[in-house]
Amino acid sequence: MNAFDRRQFLQLAGVGGVVVVSGLGAAARAADAAPGPGYDDFFFVQLSDTHWGFDGPPNPDSRGTLPKAIAAVNALKDAPDFVIFTGDLTHTTDDPRERRKRMAEFRDIAAQIKVKTVRFIPGEHDASLDNGRAFKEFFGATNYTFDHKGVHFIVLDNVSDPGAKLGDDQLAWLAADLKQQPADARIVVFAHRPLFDLYPQWDWATRDGAAAVDLLMPHSNVTVFYGHIHQEHHQMTGHIAHHSAKSLIFALPVAGSQPKRTPLPWDPAQPYRGLGFREVEAEDKGTKFVINELPVQRV
């Protein structure tokens, strides 16, 4: 993906929690240099917190931002290797029938993505009221792993348990999976909530997330992508980098900046403010990744 194509994407995708990752290959190179021997470049797109079914003042275009983001992805000159939605696909409802209706609508809209592989993980709005039952009916497993071009991807479910926990069984599953990976394996983790205590007062934490981080810590190349907080945030736990994605529905305030976790108001003069995205480039330099954050673009 060359520099022109990345700039084009920044112009097209004016909304959404979108992350583009490239350069997770086997040999380091500059962002736009010619590929070297054995280099296997790829990128994926992350979208988060679409909250399909939400309707309210924080976003008068609540039924428009998701289709616009999908159109932007489809307009890319170079298609991503895969797309992943990191939770809160739908907005919560106590009505099981309405929950499934929203999931069916979201599934049909997401099917318009012109990429062969589209993956999903749940958010608490999708899964906490029924332990992920409806989500599994539509999208399959809530935690799983997959490998792609030398990178091991791990999807964690820290939302199906209403107590905001991974749980002992999932932690044992994670431990068993990591035992199969060498210490310098390239590992990318997806979760909905942050695995560290960002701001537990606002439910911005995973109660046993520290146990997952401890399991990941012996591995030297780990990056975590998550959603949930509806804003860009970066955190290090030791050598593990955690990056949040913005939302496709409304922005939330900085942790502790106001008494309640209420959405930031829509500004007609700056529509879609706070619904930006970022591009992340990763280069394999020995056993480390270099992540370059680009400025967030807004419409």
Side-chain angles (χ1 to χ4, degrees):
M1 191 174 185
N2 61 37
F4 173 78
D5 295 330
R6 289 196 296 270
R7 287 195 297 270
Q8 184 180 50
F9 182 54
L10 291 175
Q11 293 168 356
L12 285 169
V15 297
V18 180
V19 178
V20 182
V21 178
S22 62
L24 292 170
R29 68 179 176 90
D32 298 306
Y39 187 79
D40 198 8
D41 184 31
F42 78 94
F43 76 101
F44 65 85
V45 171
Q46 177 196 8
L47 301 99
S48 198
D49 296 87
T50 55
H51 286 264
W52 188 257
F54 173 86
D55 185 24
N59 187 347
D61 190 28
S62 59
R63 297 183 68 86
T65 47
L66 174 58
K68 288 174 182 175
I70 289 174
V73 173
N74 288 341
L76 286 170
K77 180 180 177 181
D78 299 310
D81 285 42
F82 63 88
V83 172
I84 186 165
F85 286 86
T86 50
D88 282 353
L89 314 179
T90 61
H91 198 64
T92 192
T93 172
D94 293 332
D95 183 346
R97 181 176 297 180
E98 177 64 21
R99 182 178 305 121
R100 286 166 172 80
K101 177 177 178 289
R102 292 177 184 182
M103 287 191 178
E105 290 176 348
F106 172 87
R107 177 200 60 198
D108 293 345
I109 295 170
Q112 298 172 21
I113 298 173
K114 297 176 182 178
V115 176
K116 180 179 179 180
T117 302
V118 181
R119 302 180 185 275
F120 307 91
I121 70 174
E124 79 281 1
H125 282 253
D126 308 305
S128 65
L129 293 182
D130 65 357
N131 299 109
R133 187 175 299 110
F135 178 92
K136 291 175 183 177
E137 292 174 13
F138 284 87
F139 304 108
T142 58
N143 64 291
Y144 53 92
T145 66
F146 62 97
D147 294 281
H148 186 74
K149 294 184 179 179
V151 180
H152 185 62
F153 292 88
I154 302 173
V155 171
L156 297 178
D157 174 3
N158 53 4
V159 297
S160 292
D161 185 323
K165 296 188 298 182
L166 294 159
D168 293 341
D169 289 347
Q170 189 173 186
L171 287 169
W173 168 85
L174 175 62
D177 177 72
L178 290 172
K179 284 182 180 179
Q180 306 302 312
Q181 304 301 319
D184 61 350
R186 297 186 289 273
I187 296 173
V188 172
V189 178
F190 294 113
H192 181 66
R193 287 187 174 98
L195 294 178
F196 58 94
D197 286 351
L198 174 54
Y199 201 67
Q201 301 93 314
W202 285 0
D203 189 36
W204 289 1
T206 301
R207 291 189 180 179
D208 53 0
V213 172
D214 286 345
L215 291 172
L216 292 162
M217 197 62 71
H219 295 270
S220 57
N221 295 321
V222 180
T223 304
V224 180
F225 294 105
Y226 68 100
H228 189 57
I229 70 171
H230 292 217
Q231 63 193 264
E232 186 177 9
H233 187 271
H234 310 281
Q235 178 85 11
M236 298 295 296
T237 55
H239 60 274
I240 299 175
H242 305 253
H243 305 282
S244 65
K246 293 189 176 186
S247 168
L248 273 166
I249 196 66
F250 52 72
L252 288 172
V254 172
S257 62
Q258 59 185 47
K260 294 184 178 180
R261 186 193 57 194
T262 54
L264 299 180
W266 178 269
D267 183 355
Q270 301 181 77
Y272 308 109
R273 182 181 182 182
L275 302 184
F277 63 90
R278 67 176 183 262
E279 178 178 350
V280 180
E281 291 189 25
E283 297 176 353
D284 182 5
K285 295 183 177 180
T287 61
K288 297 291 184 182
F289 290 122
V290 177
I291 297 177
N292 303 306
E293 293 297 331
L294 298 185
V296 175
Q297 303 286 320
R298 301 187 178 96
V299 298

